[in-house]
Amino acid sequence: MAVDDAPLIVTLGFDAVAFAHFDAMRRRYFPAERNHIPAHLTLFHHLPAAEEPAVRAALAEEANRMREPSMAVVGLFFMGFGSAYRIESPELGDLRSRLSERFEPWLSQQDRRPFRPHVTIQNKAPAAKAKALFSELQAAFVPFEATGVELLLWRYRGGPWDAAGRYPFSGGSER
């Protein structure tokens, strides 16, 4: 059996209501020809496939350790060619820090940058269209709460991602 060498991505799965909102916005505003994946909050963009057993073990341990992290969706930010919801969550930040320490030897330059949790709903759109959407969304934005329910592991295939694992938070000692 051949070893799968597709890089790994780790994301956060949301409660059903938040996911439905984020994903509907992404389907509505993300350029359809580039929208290969559902709405997501990326924790790690590129981990080596060769380290999959260690990544899986770390995700399982952290998910078993934590209760579902609460998140405040506090605003939007403009990305130049799109918009994203800005997320605040000390619990999520702590989780990301712990995982970063465990994955440190394997982190890409992108994953070494400061963590700025967000959910992208538009990207790679024409600049004028992106600016107009951001203005529209910003004017109507009302903060809301969301909950993280699981860690998700993916294999990157150059466009689409293949699901590779789910790690539900099981209500351990941390919240």
Side-chain angles (χ1 to χ4, degrees):
M1 180 159 100
V3 174
D4 193 329
D5 63 354
L8 303 172
I9 300 168
V10 178
T11 66
L12 180 75
F14 306 105
D15 65 271
V17 172
F19 176 76
H21 173 73
F22 292 141
D23 202 52
M25 295 294 281
R26 184 177 173 93
R27 281 186 277 114
R28 182 172 179 188
Y29 296 118
F30 208 95
E33 67 279 3
R34 295 180 177 269
N35 193 14
H36 303 291
I37 55 177
H40 58 281
L41 187 158
T42 304
L43 295 169
F44 296 94
H45 297 84
H46 190 283
L47 295 171
E51 301 303 335
E52 185 172 338
V55 170
R56 286 182 176 281
L59 298 180
E61 184 179 313
E62 289 295 339
N64 288 331
R65 176 181 184 183
M66 286 184 68
R67 293 185 196 131
E68 297 175 338
S70 59
M71 299 176 288
V73 184
V74 297
L76 291 138
F77 70 89
F78 185 61
M79 301 169 35
F81 296 96
S83 297
Y85 286 104
R86 190 165 45 92
I87 309 291
E88 290 182 357
S89 172
E91 300 141 328
L92 185 59
D94 291 346
L95 169 64
R96 173 57 163 66
S97 292
R98 287 191 306 271
L99 287 170
S100 290
E101 287 176 14
R102 293 178 80 159
F103 300 158
E104 196 282 327
W106 316 316
L107 295 180
S108 66
Q109 187 170 358
Q110 183 178 21
D111 286 331
R112 291 180 188 279
R113 294 182 189 142
F115 181 52
R116 291 184 175 81
H118 64 278
V119 178
T120 302
I121 57 168
Q122 182 191 51
N123 198 9
K124 300 178 177 129
K129 186 175 182 178
K131 284 180 186 177
L133 177 63
F134 177 76
S135 295
E136 176 187 327
L137 295 174
Q138 185 79 349
F141 179 77
V142 176
F144 61 97
E145 298 293 316
T147 303
V149 297
E150 62 192 347
L151 296 170
L152 299 168
L153 183 64
W154 305 87
R155 288 187 183 92
Y156 179 67
R157 303 284 185 202
W161 299 1
D162 289 341
R166 298 177 66 181
Y167 303 87
F169 295 109
S170 62
S173 62
E174 286 198 18
R175 173 115 197 195

